[in-house]
Structure formats: C-alpha cells, structure tokens
C-alpha cells in the first residue's frame, strides 16, 4: 500500500500525532492483508523522516521513482 500525505497542524505538533496516525494506518493495512507500506518525503522534512525511522520504515530506491526531485522513499514490511 501507499501512504499518501499526512500532515499535522502546526499548533498540534510535538504530541506524537503523526506516529499515532501511522500506527492506525498500519493496523488498517494489516486488516486488508497488505504486506508492505511505502511512502515518500521531501528531502528537507526531517521531522517526518525521523518519525518514519522511529516507526520502522527504511529508505529504499524504487525502480520507478514517482516523487518530486530529491524525494526520499520509505518502505516497511508489515
């Protein structure tokens, strides 16, 4: 499955909401029988990259990149 954008309003950042949203989306993906999730981030988005790393995602290089120039691609086996 592909995780499309997930943003947290500036006023609500720093409360672990992005990680909790990731966990909920992962639970749903498992219920659907999916085995992996992929996503991408902008190279300058350290907060999202760090949340993905803490949540078990790893950088990978897709055979057909889809994101903007400089995108970082992430994958996680469920």
């Amino acid at each position: 499955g592909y995780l499309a954008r997930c943003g947290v309003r500036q006023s609500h950042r720093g409360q672990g909401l992005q990680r909790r949203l990731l966990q909920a989306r992962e639970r749903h993906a498992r219920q659907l029988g999916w085995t992996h999730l992929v996503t991408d981030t902008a190279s300058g988005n350290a907060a999202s990259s760090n949340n993905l790393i803490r949540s078990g995602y790893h950088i990978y290089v897709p055979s057909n990149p889809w994101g903007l120039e400089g995108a970082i691609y992430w994958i996680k086996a469920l």
Side-chain angles (χ1 to χ4, degrees):
Y2 174 71
L3 295 175
R5 303 289 179 253
C6 174
V8 175
R9 292 180 65 122
Q10 183 89 24
S11 59
H12 291 81
R13 291 181 184 162
Q15 300 176 45
L17 294 175
Q18 186 180 39
R19 289 193 62 204
R20 289 178 22 213
L21 288 168
L22 274 171
Q23 291 168 348
R25 295 161 87 183
E26 290 170 5
R27 276 192 304 273
H28 186 67
R30 286 185 191 95
Q31 291 172 347
L32 294 172
W34 295 356
T35 60
H36 292 78
L37 287 173
V38 297
T39 191
D40 60 287
T41 60
S43 59
N45 192 343
S48 288
S49 294
N50 287 333
N51 281 328
L52 289 167
I53 291 167
R54 281 190 218 99
S55 297
Y57 288 78
H58 302 281
I59 292 176
Y60 85 108
V61 178
S63 56
N64 294 309
W66 61 84
L68 299 173
E69 182 76 26
I72 301 171
Y73 298 93
W74 303 88
I75 191 166
K76 180 178 180 177
L78 300 175

XYZ file of all heavy atoms in Angstrom:
619
model
N 0.817 -1.179 0.000
C 0.000 0.000 0.000
C 0.860 1.242 0.000
O 2.040 1.187 0.363
N 0.280 2.320 -0.410
C 0.976 3.613 -0.449
C 0.363 4.558 0.575
O -0.852 4.739 0.605
C 0.883 4.227 -1.845
C 1.458 5.622 -1.915
C 2.832 5.822 -1.821
C 0.640 6.731 -2.039
C 3.373 7.102 -1.866
C 1.174 8.014 -2.095
C 2.535 8.182 -2.003
O 3.074 9.445 -2.038
N 1.204 5.141 1.388
C 0.754 6.155 2.339
C 0.872 7.517 1.680
O 1.971 8.017 1.461
C 1.598 6.127 3.607
C 1.522 4.869 4.463
C 2.502 4.958 5.615
C 0.108 4.668 4.973
N -0.261 8.108 1.368
C -0.267 9.467 0.828
C 0.004 10.429 1.980
O 0.143 10.026 3.129
C -1.603 9.765 0.159
N 0.043 11.657 1.705
C 0.413 12.675 2.683
C -0.372 12.576 3.991
O -1.527 12.193 4.029
C 0.206 14.070 2.099
C 0.968 14.297 0.828
C 2.471 14.388 1.128
N 3.238 14.592 -0.075
C 3.992 13.650 -0.644
N 4.056 12.448 -0.140
N 4.695 13.912 -1.717
N 0.318 12.961 5.061
C -0.284 13.000 6.388
C 0.332 14.173 7.124
O 1.504 14.133 7.492
C -0.002 11.701 7.132
S -0.548 11.730 8.834
N -0.427 15.212 7.305
C 0.098 16.396 7.966
C -0.552 16.625 9.311
O -1.676 16.209 9.556
N 0.186 17.281 10.179
C -0.320 17.662 11.499
C -0.218 19.178 11.586
O 0.830 19.762 11.298
C 0.498 16.990 12.626
C 0.043 17.484 13.989
C 0.382 15.472 12.532
N -1.299 19.812 11.984
C -1.306 21.273 12.104
C -0.203 21.740 13.043
O 0.092 21.086 14.036
C -2.660 21.747 12.623
C -3.782 21.545 11.630
C -5.077 22.032 12.215
N -4.986 23.472 12.402
C -5.811 24.342 11.849
N -6.795 23.901 11.090
N -5.670 25.625 12.068
N 0.365 22.870 12.707
C 1.473 23.447 13.488
C 1.138 23.504 14.978
O 1.958 23.162 15.820
C 1.784 24.852 12.961
C 2.944 25.527 13.639
C 4.259 25.235 12.971
O 4.304 24.904 11.802
N 5.330 25.343 13.711
N -0.075 23.900 15.298
C -0.469 24.067 16.701
C -0.570 22.742 17.457
O -0.653 22.742 18.681
C -1.801 24.810 16.786
O -2.812 24.094 16.098
N -0.568 21.611 16.755
C -0.713 20.307 17.401
C 0.541 19.441 17.286
O 0.529 18.276 17.691
C -1.903 19.572 16.788
C -3.207 20.199 17.140
N -3.709 21.304 16.477
C -4.100 19.914 18.109
C -4.871 21.644 17.015
N -5.122 20.828 18.008
N 1.596 20.001 16.756
C 2.831 19.229 16.595
C 3.515 19.016 17.939
O 3.279 19.728 18.899
C 3.770 19.938 15.624
C 3.216 19.891 14.223
C 4.123 20.549 13.219
N 3.449 20.532 11.913
C 3.783 21.289 10.903
N 4.791 22.131 11.009
N 3.128 21.204 9.773
N 4.343 17.957 17.985
C 5.087 17.649 19.199
C 4.321 16.804 20.190
O 4.756 16.625 21.324
N 3.184 16.251 19.768
C 2.365 15.441 20.661
C 2.284 13.987 20.212
O 1.473 13.223 20.718
C 0.953 16.031 20.743
C 0.944 17.451 21.273
C -0.444 18.043 21.249
O -1.409 17.394 21.652
N -0.560 19.267 20.769
N 3.097 13.608 19.224
C 3.101 12.223 18.761
C 1.961 11.871 17.822
O 1.710 10.692 17.577
N 1.277 12.872 17.279
C 0.106 12.590 16.447
C 0.472 11.911 15.130
O -0.234 10.998 14.691
C -0.671 13.876 16.170
C -1.319 14.519 17.395
C -1.962 15.843 17.015
C -2.342 13.589 18.005
N 1.552 12.327 14.492
C 1.910 11.703 13.223
C 2.218 10.218 13.420
O 1.777 9.380 12.636
C 3.101 12.410 12.576
C 3.389 11.867 11.174
C 4.565 12.533 10.507
O 5.569 12.831 11.164
N 4.454 12.771 9.218
N 2.925 9.877 14.471
C 3.223 8.460 14.731
C 1.960 7.684 15.045
O 1.799 6.555 14.600
C 4.233 8.338 15.857
C 5.610 8.821 15.379
C 6.731 8.480 16.287
N 6.868 7.049 16.424
C 7.428 6.476 17.473
N 7.898 7.205 18.463
N 7.541 5.177 17.552
N 1.030 8.264 15.783
C -0.226 7.570 16.083
C -1.059 7.377 14.817
O -1.694 6.340 14.641
C -0.997 8.327 17.158
C -0.288 8.176 18.498
C -0.878 8.905 19.671
N -2.248 9.276 19.628
C -2.737 10.372 20.204
N -1.930 11.196 20.841
N -4.009 10.647 20.152
N -1.043 8.377 13.924
C -1.745 8.224 12.651
C -1.097 7.131 11.805
O -1.805 6.329 11.170
C -1.760 9.549 11.891
C -2.671 10.625 12.452
C -2.367 11.974 11.798
C -4.129 10.251 12.254
N 0.218 7.059 11.811
C 0.913 5.985 11.099
C 0.495 4.619 11.642
O 0.206 3.692 10.872
C 2.431 6.128 11.255
C 3.167 7.017 10.294
C 4.614 7.209 10.746
C 3.118 6.482 8.887
N 0.462 4.484 12.954
C 0.088 3.212 13.574
C -1.337 2.803 13.191
O -1.595 1.634 12.897
C 0.229 3.299 15.090
C 1.663 3.405 15.545
C 1.785 3.783 17.020
O 0.813 4.182 17.671
N 2.999 3.668 17.549
N -2.252 3.754 13.167
C -3.637 3.443 12.789
C -3.710 2.999 11.329
O -4.431 2.039 11.001
C -4.522 4.667 13.018
N -2.967 3.656 10.466
C -2.973 3.293 9.052
C -2.333 1.921 8.850
O -2.774 1.138 8.012
C -2.254 4.366 8.249
C -3.023 5.696 8.306
C -2.176 6.859 7.934
N -2.190 7.070 6.490
C -1.473 7.995 5.887
N -0.670 8.773 6.571
N -1.545 8.134 4.595
N -1.307 1.606 9.635
C -0.678 0.289 9.544
C -1.639 -0.809 9.998
O -1.712 -1.868 9.374
C 0.606 0.253 10.372
C 1.718 1.086 9.783
C 2.902 1.257 10.723
O 2.914 0.654 11.824
O 3.825 1.999 10.354
N -2.364 -0.567 11.078
C -3.356 -1.558 11.547
C -4.376 -1.843 10.459
O -4.723 -3.000 10.191
C -4.073 -1.050 12.809
C -3.342 -1.310 14.087
C -4.220 -1.063 15.307
N -4.781 0.277 15.355
C -4.173 1.339 15.885
N -2.966 1.213 16.399
N -4.759 2.508 15.896
N -4.866 -0.793 9.828
C -5.859 -0.958 8.765
C -5.266 -1.729 7.580
O -5.915 -2.605 7.022
C -6.394 0.403 8.317
C -7.502 0.310 7.334
N -8.747 -0.200 7.649
C -7.554 0.632 6.024
C -9.512 -0.181 6.581
N -8.807 0.328 5.570
N -4.036 -1.411 7.218
C -3.380 -2.111 6.110
C -3.249 -3.604 6.420
O -3.482 -4.446 5.541
C -2.009 -1.497 5.849
N -2.910 -3.942 7.648
C -2.818 -5.361 8.040
C -4.176 -6.039 7.919
O -4.270 -7.184 7.464
C -2.282 -5.496 9.464
C -0.811 -5.233 9.578
C -0.313 -5.499 11.016
N 1.029 -4.999 11.185
C 1.339 -3.807 11.689
N 0.391 -2.979 12.114
N 2.592 -3.432 11.793
N -5.234 -5.354 8.332
C -6.585 -5.917 8.220
C -6.958 -6.186 6.763
O -7.700 -7.117 6.476
C -7.608 -4.976 8.859
C -7.484 -4.886 10.363
C -8.373 -3.796 10.954
O -8.918 -2.949 10.254
N -8.515 -3.812 12.273
N -6.429 -5.365 5.865
C -6.677 -5.556 4.434
C -5.800 -6.652 3.841
O -5.960 -7.010 2.678
C -6.434 -4.240 3.678
C -7.397 -3.101 3.988
C -6.925 -1.814 3.317
C -8.803 -3.457 3.549
N -4.864 -7.163 4.619
C -3.980 -8.213 4.149
C -2.746 -7.717 3.414
O -2.048 -8.500 2.769
N -2.471 -6.427 3.516
C -1.291 -5.874 2.848
C -0.039 -6.311 3.591
O -0.049 -6.499 4.808
C -1.359 -4.360 2.787
C -2.486 -3.846 1.936
C -3.359 -4.591 1.189
C -2.875 -2.495 1.763
N -4.263 -3.770 0.544
C -3.985 -2.477 0.881
C -2.396 -1.301 2.251
C -4.607 -1.306 0.493
C -3.019 -0.132 1.864
C -4.112 -0.144 0.982
N 1.050 -6.468 2.867
C 2.292 -6.946 3.470
C 3.347 -5.853 3.623
O 4.282 -6.020 4.394
C 2.898 -8.085 2.635
O 3.167 -7.608 1.313
C 1.939 -9.272 2.572
N 3.213 -4.763 2.864
C 4.184 -3.672 2.914
C 3.482 -2.335 2.732
O 2.439 -2.267 2.079
C 5.228 -3.805 1.801
C 6.131 -4.958 1.972
N 5.749 -6.250 1.664
C 7.405 -5.030 2.424
C 6.751 -7.069 1.922
N 7.767 -6.347 2.378
N 4.087 -1.297 3.285
C 3.646 0.072 3.020
C 4.839 0.863 2.512
O 5.969 0.661 2.970
C 3.103 0.731 4.292
C 1.743 0.250 4.759
C 1.397 0.866 6.114
C 0.677 0.583 3.744
N 4.586 1.741 1.568
C 5.623 2.636 1.053
C 5.105 4.067 1.136
O 3.904 4.313 1.163
C 6.022 2.305 -0.407
C 6.625 0.927 -0.501
C 4.848 2.447 -1.345
N 6.029 4.997 1.184
C 5.697 6.410 1.179
C 6.921 7.191 0.729
O 7.975 6.606 0.481
C 5.193 6.893 2.561
O 4.640 8.193 2.434
C 6.282 6.877 3.605
N 6.774 8.481 0.635
C 7.910 9.324 0.285
C 7.814 10.628 1.059
O 6.735 11.033 1.483
C 7.956 9.589 -1.225
C 6.724 10.284 -1.740
O 5.651 9.651 -1.840
O 6.819 11.493 -2.049
N 8.972 11.247 1.266
C 9.031 12.540 1.926
C 9.952 13.454 1.128
O 10.792 12.986 0.374
C 9.595 12.441 3.366
O 10.908 11.905 3.315
C 8.718 11.591 4.256
N 9.788 14.732 1.354
C 10.723 15.705 0.778
C 12.043 15.586 1.530
O 12.059 15.295 2.732
C 10.164 17.117 0.901
N 13.131 15.808 0.849
C 14.445 15.636 1.471
C 14.654 16.565 2.669
O 15.418 16.236 3.565
C 15.551 15.847 0.443
O 15.467 17.143 -0.111
N 13.961 17.690 2.730
C 14.135 18.624 3.828
C 13.178 18.427 4.995
O 13.166 19.226 5.924
N 12.390 17.372 4.971
C 11.383 17.155 6.005
C 11.922 16.206 7.078
O 11.545 15.043 7.148
C 10.094 16.614 5.381
C 8.939 16.633 6.345
O 9.124 16.741 7.548
N 7.735 16.514 5.812
N 12.800 16.717 7.915
C 13.459 15.890 8.930
C 12.482 15.320 9.946
O 12.626 14.169 10.368
C 14.544 16.691 9.634
N 11.474 16.084 10.341
C 10.520 15.603 11.356
C 9.788 14.361 10.866
O 9.705 13.351 11.582
C 9.529 16.704 11.718
N 9.274 14.395 9.643
C 8.572 13.228 9.108
C 9.527 12.061 8.897
O 9.194 10.910 9.200
C 7.873 13.572 7.792
O 6.752 14.384 8.037
N 10.720 12.350 8.392
C 11.716 11.283 8.196
C 12.039 10.607 9.519
O 12.090 9.373 9.605
C 12.983 11.852 7.565
O 12.735 12.299 6.261
N 12.235 11.385 10.570
C 12.548 10.809 11.880
C 11.391 9.982 12.423
O 11.604 8.925 13.023
C 12.945 11.900 12.865
C 14.315 12.460 12.569
O 15.168 11.770 12.003
N 14.543 13.702 12.950
N 10.159 10.431 12.211
C 9.003 9.646 12.651
C 8.909 8.327 11.895
O 8.574 7.292 12.480
C 7.711 10.446 12.483
C 7.514 11.444 13.597
O 7.931 11.210 14.730
N 6.885 12.559 13.291
N 9.203 8.351 10.608
C 9.181 7.115 9.826
C 10.265 6.151 10.317
O 10.008 4.950 10.469
C 9.352 7.421 8.337
C 8.143 8.087 7.678
C 8.520 8.642 6.315
C 6.980 7.117 7.556
N 11.449 6.664 10.586
C 12.531 5.815 11.091
C 12.132 5.201 12.430
O 12.279 3.994 12.641
C 13.833 6.630 11.225
C 14.355 6.998 9.833
C 14.890 5.847 12.014
C 15.440 8.059 9.845
N 11.599 6.013 13.331
C 11.165 5.510 14.649
C 10.050 4.478 14.525
O 9.885 3.638 15.402
C 10.694 6.661 15.531
C 11.818 7.442 16.152
C 11.276 8.417 17.210
N 12.028 9.651 17.144
C 11.650 10.763 16.528
N 10.497 10.842 15.923
N 12.415 11.834 16.523
N 9.295 4.558 13.445
C 8.175 3.631 13.232
C 8.585 2.393 12.437
O 7.740 1.578 12.092
C 7.042 4.359 12.507
O 6.558 5.413 13.309
N 9.868 2.268 12.131
C 10.353 1.050 11.485
C 10.466 1.098 9.974
O 10.673 0.068 9.338
N 10.349 2.272 9.383
C 10.489 2.402 7.929
C 11.967 2.523 7.575
O 12.771 3.013 8.368
C 9.719 3.626 7.420
C 8.231 3.411 7.453
C 7.534 3.513 8.658
C 7.533 3.073 6.316
C 6.176 3.290 8.710
C 6.165 2.861 6.351
C 5.491 2.963 7.555
O 4.141 2.732 7.607
N 12.299 2.053 6.378
C 13.674 2.086 5.886
C 13.699 2.759 4.520
O 12.770 2.606 3.723
C 14.234 0.664 5.757
C 14.207 -0.082 7.046
N 15.146 0.101 8.030
C 13.333 -0.996 7.527
C 14.858 -0.674 9.054
N 13.755 -1.349 8.775
N 14.783 3.463 4.254
C 14.958 4.089 2.942
C 15.157 2.992 1.899
O 15.815 1.986 2.159
C 16.167 5.032 2.957
C 15.881 6.241 3.848
C 16.538 5.485 1.548
C 17.055 7.180 4.008
N 14.565 3.197 0.731
C 14.812 2.297 -0.392
C 14.771 3.094 -1.682
O 14.322 4.238 -1.706
C 13.819 1.130 -0.398
C 12.505 1.401 -1.071
C 12.216 0.818 -2.301
C 11.548 2.229 -0.498
C 11.005 1.059 -2.927
C 10.345 2.463 -1.118
C 10.081 1.881 -2.332
O 8.889 2.122 -2.962
N 15.261 2.482 -2.738
C 15.300 3.128 -4.054
C 14.328 2.370 -4.967
O 14.594 1.225 -5.336
C 16.723 3.110 -4.649
C 16.728 3.749 -6.034
C 17.695 3.817 -3.721
N 13.192 2.988 -5.315
C 12.225 2.309 -6.185
C 12.742 2.221 -7.618
O 13.532 3.067 -8.057
C 10.989 3.197 -6.102
C 11.507 4.543 -5.744
C 12.745 4.318 -4.928
N 12.290 1.210 -8.344
C 12.714 1.064 -9.738
C 12.137 2.171 -10.613
O 12.736 2.534 -11.623
C 12.319 -0.311 -10.275
O 10.930 -0.511 -10.131
N 10.977 2.714 -10.245
C 10.341 3.810 -10.980
C 9.956 4.918 -10.005
O 8.813 4.974 -9.555
C 9.097 3.327 -11.724
C 9.420 2.347 -12.814
O 10.278 2.609 -13.650
N 8.766 1.196 -12.796
N 10.885 5.797 -9.666
C 10.568 6.867 -8.705
C 9.383 7.721 -9.181
O 9.260 8.004 -10.360
C 11.851 7.705 -8.682
C 12.913 6.799 -9.188
C 12.244 5.879 -10.162
N 8.509 8.081 -8.260
C 7.295 8.826 -8.594
C 7.271 10.230 -8.000
O 6.505 11.066 -8.414
C 6.065 8.061 -8.114
C 6.061 7.863 -6.631
C 5.617 8.749 -5.688
C 6.546 6.732 -5.918
N 5.795 8.230 -4.423
C 6.354 6.985 -4.543
C 7.114 5.513 -6.295
C 6.719 6.076 -3.561
C 7.469 4.618 -5.313
C 7.273 4.903 -3.973
N 8.099 10.478 -7.012
C 8.034 11.741 -6.285
C 8.790 12.868 -6.958
O 9.355 12.717 -8.042
N 8.785 13.980 -6.283
C 9.496 15.153 -6.762
C 10.998 14.928 -6.720
O 11.483 14.025 -6.020
C 9.133 16.369 -5.901
C 7.666 16.778 -5.899
C 7.427 17.885 -4.885
C 7.227 17.216 -7.283
N 11.723 15.752 -7.423
C 13.183 15.687 -7.409
C 13.676 15.740 -5.965
O 13.243 16.581 -5.184
C 13.746 16.869 -8.205
C 15.247 16.900 -8.302
C 15.787 15.893 -9.297
O 15.046 15.535 -10.232
O 16.945 15.487 -9.139
N 14.533 14.830 -5.600
C 15.090 14.798 -4.249
C 14.229 14.080 -3.225
O 14.542 14.116 -2.040
N 13.142 13.430 -3.643
C 12.283 12.716 -2.700
C 13.058 11.567 -2.050
O 13.954 10.977 -2.661
C 11.051 12.177 -3.413
N 12.700 11.275 -0.811
C 13.245 10.127 -0.113
C 12.112 9.095 -0.032
O 10.996 9.426 0.370
C 13.715 10.509 1.305
C 14.787 11.595 1.230
C 14.252 9.276 2.049
C 15.153 12.174 2.574
N 12.409 7.870 -0.389
C 11.397 6.811 -0.419
C 11.601 5.864 0.769
O 12.724 5.548 1.131
C 11.503 6.030 -1.729
C 11.242 6.917 -2.918
C 12.285 7.548 -3.591
C 9.950 7.169 -3.338
C 12.052 8.384 -4.671
C 9.696 8.017 -4.425
C 10.759 8.603 -5.058
O 10.519 9.447 -6.122
N 10.475 5.446 1.326
C 10.473 4.644 2.548
C 9.616 3.403 2.343
O 8.605 3.444 1.654
C 9.903 5.454 3.710
C 10.619 6.730 3.955
C 10.354 7.949 3.374
C 11.730 6.938 4.799
N 11.237 8.896 3.832
C 12.092 8.298 4.710
C 12.461 6.113 5.639
C 13.135 8.849 5.434
C 13.507 6.665 6.353
C 13.846 8.005 6.264
N 9.988 2.302 3.031
C 9.214 1.081 2.974
C 9.228 0.413 4.346
O 10.193 0.539 5.106
C 9.760 0.110 1.890
C 8.801 -1.047 1.658
C 11.170 -0.369 2.249
C 9.099 -1.843 0.397
N 8.151 -0.299 4.636
C 8.068 -1.074 5.874
C 7.306 -2.349 5.594
O 6.223 -2.334 5.012
C 7.339 -0.286 6.975
C 7.222 -1.052 8.279
C 6.553 -0.234 9.353
C 6.442 -1.029 10.651
N 5.854 -0.205 11.710
N 7.887 -3.462 6.015
C 7.190 -4.748 5.955
C 6.253 -4.825 7.154
O 6.641 -4.500 8.271
C 8.187 -5.897 5.971
N 5.026 -5.215 6.882
C 4.056 -5.330 7.964
C 4.070 -6.743 8.503
O 3.620 -7.094 9.474
C 2.645 -4.966 7.464
C 2.503 -3.558 6.907
C 1.118 -3.348 6.339
C 2.791 -2.532 7.982
